[in-house]
Amino acid sequence: MATTSPSGAAPASGGPVDPTLIEDLVAASRILAAEGVLDGYGHVTMRHPGAANRYLMARSLAPELVRPDDIMELDLESNPVDARGRTMFRERFIHGMIYKARADVMAVVHSHSPAVVPFGITQVPMKPTFHMAAFLYKVPPVFEIRDVAGWTNMLITSNRLGEALAETLGDNPVALMRGHGNVVVGPTLPIAVFRAIYTEVNARLQTTAMMLGGPITYLSPEEGDIITNKEPGDVGRAWNLWRTKALGNPDLA
Amino acid sequence: MATTSPSGAAPASGGPVDPTLIEDLVAASRILAAEGVLDGYGHVTMRHPGAANRYLMARSLAPELVRPDDIMELDLESNPVDARGRTMFRERFIHGMIYKARADVMAVVHSHSPAVVPFGITQVPMKPTFHMAAFLYKVPPVFEIRDVAGWTNMLITSNRLGEALAETLGDNPVALMRGHGNVVVGPTLPIAVFRAIYTEVNARLQTTAMMLGGPITYLSPEEGDIITNKEPGDVGRAWNLWRTKALGNPDLA
Amino acid sequence: MATTSPSGAAPASGGPVDPTLIEDLVAASRILAAEGVLDGYGHVTMRHPGAANRYLMARSLAPELVRPDDIMELDLESNPVDARGRTMFRERFIHGMIYKARADVMAVVHSHSPAVVPFGITQVPMKPTFHMAAFLYKVPPVFEIRDVAGWTNMLITSNRLGEALAETLGDNPVALMRGHGNVVVGPTLPIAVFRAIYTEVNARLQTTAMMLGGPITYLSPEEGDIITNKEPGDVGRAWNLWRTKALGNPDLA
Amino acid sequence: MATTSPSGAAPASGGPVDPTLIEDLVAASRILAAEGVLDGYGHVTMRHPGAANRYLMARSLAPELVRPDDIMELDLESNPVDARGRTMFRERFIHGMIYKARADVMAVVHSHSPAVVPFGITQVPMKPTFHMAAFLYKVPPVFEIRDVAGWTNMLITSNRLGEALAETLGDNPVALMRGHGNVVVGPTLPIAVFRAIYTEVNARLQTTAMMLGGPITYLSPEEGDIITNKEPGDVGRAWNLWRTKALGNPDLA
């Protein structure tokens, strides 16, 4: 496993990564754009499969345009192993600090998922409307950047802010970010992608249910727990579909 | 007609099926994905045209990717005639038990149709807003899995649960499933597909009408009955369009 | 000008029609599908350019699939000039009776335009939210088929029903049909298509404005009248765009 | 720098423009159509890069169809330098008068952005729901054409009306136009395009948040000011994506 390099020098690499896994990460980026979770902004990363203190992330680029060559390796303080002049995302600290705080997390998505933003600025708690969003059975916490940094540009541009966000996230799969977006994590890349997509879908369904009005029966904590932790659904079926379509683009090479 | 095989042995086949009918079933799967009723999940089946105690269903696969080779034959207990190592949908029991209970049903759709989910978790009854959804003239019942199985993963993973769902469905064309989705049946495959699509459309229109507010004039039971049972509309016109587009994909072969 | 043929014989043709005009009608059908006004159902027609008592309409076919060969000629009682075994739309009487009642109308659209259906089943009057929908400055009347025919299949399947609908339409550009859809007319084919599209768009905008709530400033009757009758907008700019895209399909030929 | 020509003669040109900048303007037009801000109507312009009293605008044409040859040069009274028989937009005065009033503005978008229209006809002030729309931190003013011209066709068809609109705009980035649409300006073409797109997105998010109800935490004026004026986001990342897709169309040449 790679160790963090001394301050000032580039950190050592965690070692080469199977090109199929890089392709998975490229696919994840394009999938999230195709499904309307990301637009020109936002990012998805994965922990280095061979080095728990490294993670993989595209250079600063619109998610739909990411190709294998754009994937960079960073340490958990978000220093690049081999920048080669590539510009990095200003909010990469979100990812590094979550990987540092959460040994169980292998992938992280940060988005401005449009149906979810309203839940971060109102007092309405997100709740799971159906089994596909069972992972929301504990209400996602909301990160208020004002509480830790006062008036800001709303971005997570330092390890300090990344750490504060990771603290709000706690052991949840999703945290909302007031006036900004959300962050979603998972024990595998496909699960993180799946959760990011169904967080968006669930927000739409919950909004509609609330407009219909009256008492709403959400999944119970017991149902949410069973589906999330004991009898998980078949994420691979959707992942296979999404990946096939995302890499069908001949521009990928 | 095929008979159910003794426990432990694979059931006998109901006989070969016209490839055009298989192609119809492949088209149905892709159509429902194209129209937003299915995403990576859900399934559509048809009763075996030559054996009332067999039905046809794709192996476990995202609906958009189904091809003729993926179609399997099952008996009404949902045992495969010739699995050849193919993985089956965990919720196939929905289909088998409905074919068993409903001799009039020749096709079944199970989906998480997004606009419909909110009607399954609120107290708002679905009602037909226009003639295309006339088949909703009797309010669709809502299946509550808690009532038959307590805390679960919400899935219909056994014949017992499939039977309970079929009982809730009764002689209706549609039943909602709380926190999950819905099931739609029809006397032909095109009619089941048509109903699944217009159940989704009607949910959108009813939601909008309720947001506009005030008294709403739904189709009357008499109007619903005339259109559904006495002077049915021309399903073939839409089916022809949908099938043409679904099979236009050269990947089909 | 052609005259109506004696009962029993096919009516005489109004004469040959410029193929470019036929192509316009094919384009109109595809445009309305592309813009979400029509799905597998609905139809658009134009009055015969050389014979005021004849009109042109596709055979019974999904709008997206219409080609020049599908265009038929009918008299105002909706008898075909030369059926050649082609099936006609069951609701063609909508068109014939409107052309009969309204000498100023050169094109008619009948649709189940989804955002508009809710306005036909609630008490909420449609009003113009912006200049593109100025033609709605007089509240569109709502046709209630129960008033003229009691319990029905909701369809306009006779000249008698077509006449009743034309009477409700009066001298308006749009009439809503309760539990069914709407009908839109215009002095040219592009204007009828334009109005059908912006009736749908306006319904979406009005629904949103009503959800925001509070007093809403619609176009005044004076503004509506100026735009509709005195200083009309440039319909050709959009028509040119829509037609180019609709006929870009190489299948047309 | 070009000077305004004597009345009656065509104004002098501000000089040749780098073809890449013309291509940017063509891309901007297509981007705004692709993102749903423009349909067959609306326009985007840029100030002449070498002559502050000239601006560049397509001839009257649907935005999606604009090509480099369609770009014309106009003075700030919106007279064409070299019309060559090309028809101009009737509302070009919006652009000329804003360039005249606002030396800081280098690009202007006028649209009927659908989610925004409802905010122009209700009393609901637009507010920034997230950092992407921070530029809305001062409530956009609403232009009421009745106040300056009484009953009209709603269009800005003269320098007098353009001047009145520019006055309402003041030093804001966005002004709504009651019953019509909006106008968005920026210090660069990509920023104006970015703002037009996120004004539309913000309108959707604010509408959803208001439907969820309760107290809503918008960006504070301090947060809006920081993002807009002191630590601006990376517009180039989205612009690069949008431009790549817009010019991917081989019809551009």
Side-chain angles (χ1 to χ4, degrees):
Chain A
M1 184 181 285
T3 52
T4 303
S5 65
S7 169
S13 171
V17 179
D18 179 346
T20 303
L21 296 178
I22 298 290
E23 204 173 68
D24 280 348
L25 186 55
V26 169
S29 190
R30 295 175 175 212
I31 287 166
L32 290 164
E35 298 293 318
V37 171
L38 303 179
D39 55 5
Y41 299 92
H43 13 80
V44 51
T45 63
M46 61 185 289
R47 200 187 285 270
H48 191 295
N53 55 6
R54 296 288 179 272
Y55 72 97
L56 305 170
M57 184 178 205
R59 69 181 173 95
S60 179
L61 189 69
E64 204 171 329
L65 299 178
V66 171
R67 298 162 65 108
D69 267 4
D70 299 314
I71 305 298
M72 300 176 69
E73 182 182 346
L74 297 91
D75 69 12
L76 301 191
E77 278 71 41
S78 294
N79 301 301
V81 165
D82 180 17
R84 285 188 270 141
R86 292 174 290 185
T87 307
M88 290 180 287
F89 284 110
R90 289 197 291 170
E91 293 199 290
R92 60 193 182 278
F93 309 100
I94 294 172
H95 302 261
M97 286 298 107
I98 289 175
Y99 290 120
K100 191 167 187 180
R102 290 276 299 270
D104 62 308
V105 166
M106 297 304 284
V108 177
V109 176
H110 168 58
S111 80
H112 312 149
S113 200
V116 182
V117 169
F119 287 87
I121 65 175
T122 58
Q123 307 299 310
V124 177
M126 277 201 89
K127 294 189 178 175
T129 59
F130 71 155
H131 62 319
M132 307 302 285
F135 56 89
L136 297 170
Y137 72 95
K138 289 188 289 182
V139 171
V142 180
F143 177 72
E144 173 51 272
I145 196 168
R146 287 177 194 167
D147 292 344
V148 294
W151 302 133
T152 66
N153 65 2
M154 305 298 290
L155 302 180
I156 306 297
T157 51
S158 71
N159 282 317
R160 184 177 73 85
L161 287 169
E163 200 173 14
L165 174 59
E167 194 173 319
T168 294
L169 176 64
D171 62 356
N172 292 284
V174 180
L176 310 189
M177 300 162 76
R178 194 271 309 161
H180 183 163
N182 66 77
V183 63
V184 178
V185 303
T188 68
L189 180 63
I191 289 175
V193 167
F194 176 98
R195 287 175 175 173
I197 291 170
Y198 283 104
T199 298
E200 170 73 10
V201 171
N202 190 73
R204 291 179 212 144
L205 300 193
Q206 185 175 349
T207 299
T208 302
M210 292 182 69
M211 289 192 292
L212 294 178
I216 299 175
T217 305
Y218 295 103
L219 287 202
S220 72
E222 293 84 354
E223 288 165 338
D225 177 50
I226 290 172
I227 298 168
T228 306
N229 302 311
K230 295 167 189 157
E231 305 175 20
D234 178 8
V235 169
R237 198 190 318 158
W239 173 255
N240 178 39
L241 171 68
W242 293 327
R243 195 185 193 280
T244 300
K245 294 204 290 188
L247 299 186
N249 186 334
D251 288 344
L252 186 72
Chain B
M1 186 181 287
T3 52
T4 304
S5 64
S7 169
S13 170
V17 178
D18 179 346
T20 303
L21 297 177
I22 299 290
E23 204 174 69
D24 280 347
L25 186 55
V26 169
S29 190
R30 295 175 174 212
I31 287 166
L32 290 164
E35 297 293 320
V37 171
L38 304 179
D39 56 5
Y41 299 92
H43 12 81
V44 51
T45 63
M46 60 185 289
R47 200 187 285 270
H48 190 296
N53 54 5
R54 297 288 179 272
Y55 73 97
L56 305 170
M57 185 179 204
R59 69 181 174 94
S60 179
L61 190 69
E64 204 170 330
L65 299 178
V66 171
R67 298 162 64 109
D69 267 2
D70 299 314
I71 304 300
M72 301 176 68
E73 181 182 345
L74 297 92
D75 70 11
L76 301 191
E77 277 71 42
S78 294
N79 301 300
V81 165
D82 179 17
R84 285 188 272 140
R86 291 174 291 184
T87 306
M88 289 179 288
F89 284 110
R90 288 198 290 171
E91 293 198 290
R92 60 193 182 279
F93 310 101
I94 294 172
H95 301 262
M97 286 298 106
I98 289 175
Y99 289 121
K100 191 167 185 180
R102 290 277 300 270
D104 62 309
V105 165
M106 296 304 284
V108 177
V109 176
H110 168 59
S111 80
H112 311 149
S113 200
V116 181
V117 169
F119 287 87
I121 64 176
T122 58
Q123 308 299 308
V124 178
M126 279 202 88
K127 294 190 178 173
T129 58
F130 71 156
H131 63 318
M132 307 302 284
F135 56 88
L136 297 170
Y137 72 96
K138 289 188 290 182
V139 171
V142 180
F143 177 72
E144 172 51 273
I145 196 168
R146 287 178 194 167
D147 292 344
V148 294
W151 302 133
T152 66
N153 66 2
M154 305 297 292
L155 301 180
I156 306 297
T157 52
S158 70
N159 281 317
R160 184 176 73 83
L161 287 169
E163 199 173 14
L165 174 59
E167 195 173 318
T168 295
L169 176 64
D171 62 355
N172 291 284
V174 180
L176 309 190
M177 301 162 77
R178 193 272 309 161
H180 183 160
N182 66 76
V183 63
V184 178
V185 302
T188 68
L189 180 63
I191 289 175
V193 168
F194 176 98
R195 286 176 176 174
I197 290 170
Y198 283 104
T199 298
E200 171 74 10
V201 172
N202 190 73
R204 290 180 211 143
L205 300 193
Q206 186 175 349
T207 300
T208 303
M210 292 181 69
M211 289 192 292
L212 293 178
I216 300 175
T217 305
Y218 295 103
L219 287 203
S220 71
E222 293 85 354
E223 288 165 338
D225 176 50
I226 290 172
I227 298 169
T228 305
N229 302 312
K230 295 167 189 156
E231 305 176 18
D234 178 7
V235 169
R237 198 189 321 156
W239 173 256
N240 178 40
L241 171 69
W242 293 328
R243 195 184 193 280
T244 299
K245 295 205 289 187
L247 300 186
N249 186 334
D251 288 344
L252 185 73
Chain C
M1 185 181 285
T3 53
T4 303
S5 63
S7 169
S13 170
V17 178
D18 179 346
T20 303
L21 296 178
I22 297 291
E23 204 174 68
D24 280 347
L25 185 56
V26 168
S29 190
R30 295 175 173 210
I31 287 166
L32 291 164
E35 297 293 319
V37 171
L38 303 180
D39 55 5
Y41 299 92
H43 13 81
V44 51
T45 63
M46 61 185 288
R47 199 187 286 268
H48 189 296
N53 54 5
R54 296 287 179 273
Y55 73 97
L56 304 170
M57 184 180 206
R59 68 179 175 95
S60 179
L61 189 69
E64 205 170 330
L65 300 178
V66 171
R67 299 162 64 108
D69 267 2
D70 299 314
I71 304 300
M72 301 175 68
E73 181 182 346
L74 296 92
D75 70 12
L76 300 191
E77 277 72 40
S78 294
N79 301 300
V81 165
D82 179 18
R84 284 188 272 141
R86 292 174 290 184
T87 306
M88 289 179 287
F89 284 110
R90 287 198 292 171
E91 293 198 289
R92 61 193 181 278
F93 309 101
I94 293 171
H95 302 262
M97 286 299 107
I98 290 175
Y99 289 121
K100 190 166 185 180
R102 290 276 299 270
D104 62 308
V105 166
M106 296 304 284
V108 177
V109 176
H110 168 59
S111 80
H112 312 148
S113 199
V116 181
V117 169
F119 286 88
I121 65 175
T122 58
Q123 308 300 309
V124 177
M126 279 201 88
K127 294 189 179 175
T129 59
F130 71 156
H131 62 319
M132 307 302 283
F135 55 88
L136 297 169
Y137 72 97
K138 288 188 290 182
V139 172
V142 180
F143 177 71
E144 173 51 274
I145 195 169
R146 287 177 194 167
D147 293 345
V148 292
W151 303 132
T152 65
N153 66 1
M154 306 297 292
L155 301 180
I156 305 297
T157 51
S158 70
N159 281 318
R160 184 176 73 85
L161 287 168
E163 200 172 14
L165 173 59
E167 194 172 322
T168 295
L169 175 64
D171 62 355
N172 292 285
V174 180
L176 310 190
M177 300 161 78
R178 194 270 311 162
H180 183 161
N182 67 75
V183 63
V184 178
V185 303
T188 68
L189 180 64
I191 289 175
V193 168
F194 176 98
R195 287 176 175 174
I197 290 170
Y198 283 104
T199 298
E200 170 74 10
V201 172
N202 190 73
R204 291 181 211 141
L205 300 194
Q206 186 176 350
T207 299
T208 303
M210 292 182 69
M211 289 192 291
L212 293 178
I216 300 175
T217 305
Y218 295 103
L219 288 202
S220 71
E222 292 84 355
E223 288 164 339
D225 176 51
I226 290 172
I227 298 169
T228 306
N229 303 312
K230 294 168 189 155
E231 306 176 19
D234 178 7
V235 169
R237 198 188 322 156
W239 173 255
N240 178 39
L241 171 68
W242 293 328
R243 194 183 194 281
T244 299
K245 295 204 290 186
L247 300 186
N249 186 335
D251 288 344
L252 185 76
Chain D
M1 183 181 286
T3 51
T4 303
S5 64
S7 170
S13 171
V17 178
D18 179 347
T20 303
L21 297 178
I22 298 290
E23 204 174 68
D24 280 347
L25 185 56
V26 168
S29 189
R30 295 175 175 211
I31 287 166
L32 290 165
E35 298 293 318
V37 171
L38 303 180
D39 55 5
Y41 299 91
H43 13 81
V44 51
T45 63
M46 62 186 287
R47 200 187 287 269
H48 190 296
N53 55 5
R54 297 287 180 272
Y55 72 97
L56 304 170
M57 185 179 205
R59 69 180 173 94
S60 180
L61 190 68
E64 205 171 330
L65 299 178
V66 171
R67 299 162 64 109
D69 267 2
D70 299 314
I71 304 300
M72 301 175 69
E73 182 182 345
L74 297 91
D75 70 12
L76 301 191
E77 278 72 41
S78 294
N79 302 300
V81 165
D82 180 19
R84 285 188 271 140
R86 293 175 290 185
T87 306
M88 289 179 286
F89 285 110
R90 288 198 290 171
E91 293 198 289
R92 61 193 182 278
F93 308 101
I94 294 172
H95 301 262
M97 286 299 107
I98 290 175
Y99 289 121
K100 190 165 186 182
R102 288 277 299 269
D104 62 309
V105 166
M106 296 304 284
V108 176
V109 177
H110 168 60
S111 80
H112 312 149
S113 200
V116 182
V117 168
F119 287 88
I121 64 175
T122 58
Q123 307 300 309
V124 177
M126 279 201 89
K127 294 189 178 174
T129 59
F130 71 156
H131 62 318
M132 308 302 285
F135 56 88
L136 297 170
Y137 72 96
K138 288 188 290 182
V139 171
V142 180
F143 177 71
E144 173 51 273
I145 196 169
R146 287 178 193 166
D147 292 345
V148 293
W151 302 132
T152 66
N153 65 1
M154 304 297 293
L155 302 180
I156 305 298
T157 50
S158 70
N159 281 318
R160 184 176 73 85
L161 288 169
E163 199 173 16
L165 172 59
E167 194 172 322
T168 294
L169 176 65
D171 62 356
N172 292 283
V174 180
L176 310 189
M177 300 161 78
R178 195 269 311 161
H180 183 162
N182 66 76
V183 63
V184 178
V185 303
T188 68
L189 180 64
I191 290 176
V193 167
F194 177 98
R195 287 175 175 174
I197 291 170
Y198 283 104
T199 298
E200 170 73 10
V201 171
N202 191 73
R204 291 180 211 143
L205 300 193
Q206 186 176 348
T207 299
T208 302
M210 292 182 70
M211 289 192 291
L212 294 178
I216 300 174
T217 306
Y218 295 103
L219 288 202
S220 71
E222 292 84 355
E223 289 165 338
D225 176 50
I226 290 171
I227 298 169
T228 306
N229 302 312
K230 294 166 189 158
E231 305 176 19
D234 178 7
V235 169
R237 198 188 322 155
W239 173 255
N240 179 38
L241 171 68
W242 293 328
R243 194 184 194 281
T244 300
K245 295 204 291 187
L247 300 186
N249 185 334
D251 288 344
L252 185 73

